[in-house]
Amino acid sequence: MLELWNDLLWPLLWQVILILALTVGVLLYVAYAVYADRKIWAAVQLRRGPNVVGPFGLFQLFADFGKNLIKEVIVPAGVNKGIFFIAPMLTFVLAVVGWAVIPVADGMVVADLNVGILYIFAISSMGVYGIIMAGWASNSKYPFLGGMRAAAQMVSYEVSIGLVIVTVLMCVGSLNLTEIVYAQAEGVWFFIPLFPMFVVYFISLLAETNRPPFDLPESESELVAGYQVEYSSTPYLLFMIGEYINIVLLCSLCTVLFFGGWLPPLDIAPLNWIPGLVWFVLKTSFFFFLVSMVKAMVPRYRYDQLMRLGWKVFLPLSLLWVAITGGVLIAFDLLPDPVAVSAATGAGL
């Protein structure tokens, strides 16, 4: 019985605890990320933002959540009901499961996959299906146009993000996200040698998550609210939560790829006394702050400008930087040894 507990039941129970802790933590973080987003936007416009419900308006998001839960779910005539309701659930679930491979601290990851980057690629690529399904199932021209825009936009900028990540993988020699963090412990954080790719990644992050100035799939001046026009109550809430979870996920991935994950800026006291989880949250919050500032300050692009930026600027630049990175690694004999990387990870650097 003791062997059964040690070999099967306890590892399974620990995995369930990790999953629940990560899910609850992400949802709570997202709730206050939305609050911060509204406060930052208000501060830029010299407004107060949420300030009534609870001290400093801290409970405003929970009030909005309760309001959306108890509102009537309105289903327009002529919609495909099955796909209409599957779309928001798919968007929410895919956003949550993407967190399974993100190492939030040393040893704190639900699934430390050797192909963690490919897992993120697969999940993010499937995320567009929720938006396309919502646009098509709504049986209305504005949602349909929003869905088509979202499909073209997300595919266009996934290419750039993919090439950016390739440059990081060339420097590490592994697809494992934990090993990418360990590789930065031995030298500089990758945003220094790969700074142009960091800029491309951050701008592509905005386009990939339909954030301003690239929120063309839901631009209110043209499409009312785009792919989510016909949604209300809980289905609408699932779209919004899924969108913000995706934003925070890509901000955390930026932290892992370019800013050392849970590592402190310098491995000296008192910086290394602070838990790695705190550093990870602080770095992710900083990138979310930048995303919010861009929303408040940068005017919306036209759709042709958006496509031109993705295909005529970012794609050639990313391809060029992949070639430059490979050339530098070969010329200066800096190619990583995958065996050494795996051994370093096993040693727990």
Side-chain angles (χ1 to χ4, degrees):
M1 185 63 184
L2 185 59
E3 289 184 3
L4 178 64
W5 169 258
N6 290 333
D7 296 341
L8 180 63
L9 296 181
W10 171 244
L12 181 62
L13 179 61
W14 176 244
Q15 201 71 10
V16 170
I17 292 171
L18 268 180
I19 292 170
L20 289 176
L22 181 66
T23 304
V24 172
V26 167
L27 290 176
L28 284 175
Y29 182 91
V30 165
Y32 284 103
V34 177
Y35 169 82
D37 194 26
R38 294 172 64 176
K39 277 290 192 181
I40 293 167
W41 203 5
V44 172
Q45 298 177 339
L46 300 180
R47 297 185 291 108
R48 295 187 64 187
N51 61 86
V52 175
V53 185
F56 307 105
L58 287 171
F59 301 150
Q60 180 66 54
L61 270 298
F62 298 101
D64 293 341
F65 177 77
K67 179 190 72 174
N68 276 286
L69 281 182
I70 62 176
K71 286 174 69 175
E72 179 184 1
V73 178
I74 299 172
V75 182
V79 305
N80 185 318
K81 289 186 179 180
I83 299 178
F84 185 81
F85 286 115
I86 288 174
M89 290 189 286
L90 182 66
T91 300
F92 175 79
V93 170
L94 288 175
V96 172
V97 299
W99 280 88
V101 296
I102 300 293
V104 297
D106 194 4
M108 290 183 63
V109 56
V110 172
D112 194 19
L113 302 181
N114 288 329
V115 290
I117 285 289
L118 295 182
Y119 175 88
I120 293 287
F121 266 138
I123 295 299
S124 64
S125 299
M126 292 173 63
V128 71
Y129 286 112
I131 294 176
I132 295 176
M133 290 165 64
W136 182 82
S138 295
N139 194 30
S140 174
K141 61 182 179 180
Y142 289 138
F144 183 73
L145 287 172
M148 292 301 99
R149 282 186 174 188
Q153 179 173 323
M154 294 174 81
V155 168
S156 299
Y157 283 86
E158 272 183 10
V159 175
S160 299
I161 288 181
L163 289 172
V164 168
I165 293 175
V166 165
T167 61
V168 175
L169 301 183
M170 292 168 67
C171 297
V172 177
S174 173
L175 296 168
N176 184 290
L177 291 170
T178 302
E179 292 180 2
I180 291 174
V181 176
Y182 284 137
Q184 296 174 80
E186 300 174 349
V188 297
W189 292 352
F190 288 146
F191 85 94
I192 296 174
L194 302 176
F195 184 76
M197 292 296 94
F198 162 66
V199 175
V200 170
Y201 177 91
F202 182 77
I203 298 175
S204 299
L205 177 160
L206 300 174
E208 180 76 7
T209 54
N210 302 327
R211 286 285 292 188
F214 306 124
D215 57 337
L216 279 304
E218 50 192 86
S219 53
E220 71 282 349
S221 59
E222 304 163 20
L223 304 180
V224 186
Y227 61 89
Q228 56 196 10
V229 167
E230 307 293 355
Y231 284 89
S232 61
S233 188
T234 306
Y236 171 79
L237 187 66
L238 289 176
F239 269 127
M240 287 296 96
I241 296 175
E243 179 178 316
Y244 272 92
I245 291 177
N246 263 327
I247 294 167
V248 177
L249 173 64
L250 289 181
C251 288
S252 68
L253 188 61
C254 184
T255 297
V256 170
L257 294 176
F258 295 103
F259 280 80
W262 64 83
L263 301 173
L266 296 171
D267 191 17
I268 58 174
L271 297 180
N272 52 14
W273 297 346
I274 301 173
L277 178 61
V278 175
W279 282 118
F280 186 88
V281 172
L282 287 175
K283 294 175 185 178
T284 302
S285 301
F286 171 71
F287 290 119
F288 187 83
F289 170 77
L290 295 183
V291 169
S292 298
M293 289 299 291
V294 170
K295 173 183 178 179
M297 298 171 64
V298 182
R300 179 181 292 135
Y301 271 42
R302 293 199 316 266
Y303 202 75
D304 62 301
Q305 294 173 328
L306 172 73
M307 291 291 109
R308 183 171 69 244
L309 181 66
W311 290 109
K312 292 188 176 181
V313 180
F314 284 176
L315 180 59
L317 178 61
S318 302
L319 283 169
L320 175 64
W321 207 263
V322 168
I324 291 173
T325 303
V328 170
L329 291 174
I330 292 173
F332 294 94
D333 196 23
L334 297 173
L335 284 171
D337 182 359
V339 176
V341 171
S342 298
T345 306
L349 281 179

